[in-house]
């Protein structure tokens, strides 16, 4: 289905990918830098927005991570990010003074 609309979407996608990688190249799966691809936090097949910058994040692509050698994007596959990694944003204990 190589329609002109698909070409437009992939153009927009490449533009977004460049924007996201320019802002950060820290992989969402392993947390190391030098990510070369972006992936959807919520997969498009599961209702995620394809061209929403908030739904895209840097990830290591086919070459994998130069630091830990994981192939983060193929590891993640078509799953939602939360199914792959536990995000460390919810600190729900109080260990500090
Ligand atoms: Zn990675
Ligand atoms: Zn890594």
């Amino acid at each position: 289905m190589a329609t002109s609309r698909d070409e437009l979407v992939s153009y927009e996608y490449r533009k977004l990918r460049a924007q996201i990688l320019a802002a950060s190249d820290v992989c969402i799966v392993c947390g190391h830098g030098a990510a070369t691809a972006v992936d959807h936090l919520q997969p498009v097949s599961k209702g995620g927005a394809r061209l929403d910058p908030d739904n895209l994040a840097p990830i290591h692509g086919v070459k994998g991570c130069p630091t830990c050698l994981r192939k983060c994007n193929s590891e993640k596959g078509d799953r939602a990010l939360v199914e792959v990694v536990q995000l460390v944003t919810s600190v729900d204990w109080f260990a500090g003074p």
Side-chain angles (χ1 to χ4, degrees):
M1 292 218 309
T3 66
S4 57
R5 189 177 174 278
D6 285 342
E7 281 165 32
L8 186 67
V9 165
S10 68
Y11 169 75
E12 290 290 329
Y13 185 76
R14 284 199 303 271
K15 217 167 61 174
L16 268 176
R17 180 178 62 188
Q19 273 174 25
I20 285 159
L21 291 176
S24 168
D25 68 349
V26 176
C27 172
I28 46 163
V29 171
C30 73
H32 298 128
T36 53
V38 296
D39 196 24
H40 295 98
L41 299 176
Q42 180 70 17
V44 175
S45 62
K46 305 221 165 58
R50 186 187 295 275
L51 295 174
D52 182 355
D54 290 338
N55 195 36
L56 286 164
I59 193 167
H60 289 111
V62 285
K63 286 185 188 154
C65 174
T67 307
C68 68
L69 306 179
R70 282 167 72 179
K71 297 273 201 308
C72 299
N73 202 1
S74 45
E75 227 177 88
K76 180 179 174 296
D78 199 30
R79 290 176 294 174
L81 179 69
V82 288
E83 297 174 45
V84 183
V85 287
Q86 293 293 319
L87 290 175
V88 286
T89 47
S90 59
V91 179
D92 54 6
W93 67 86
F94 301 96

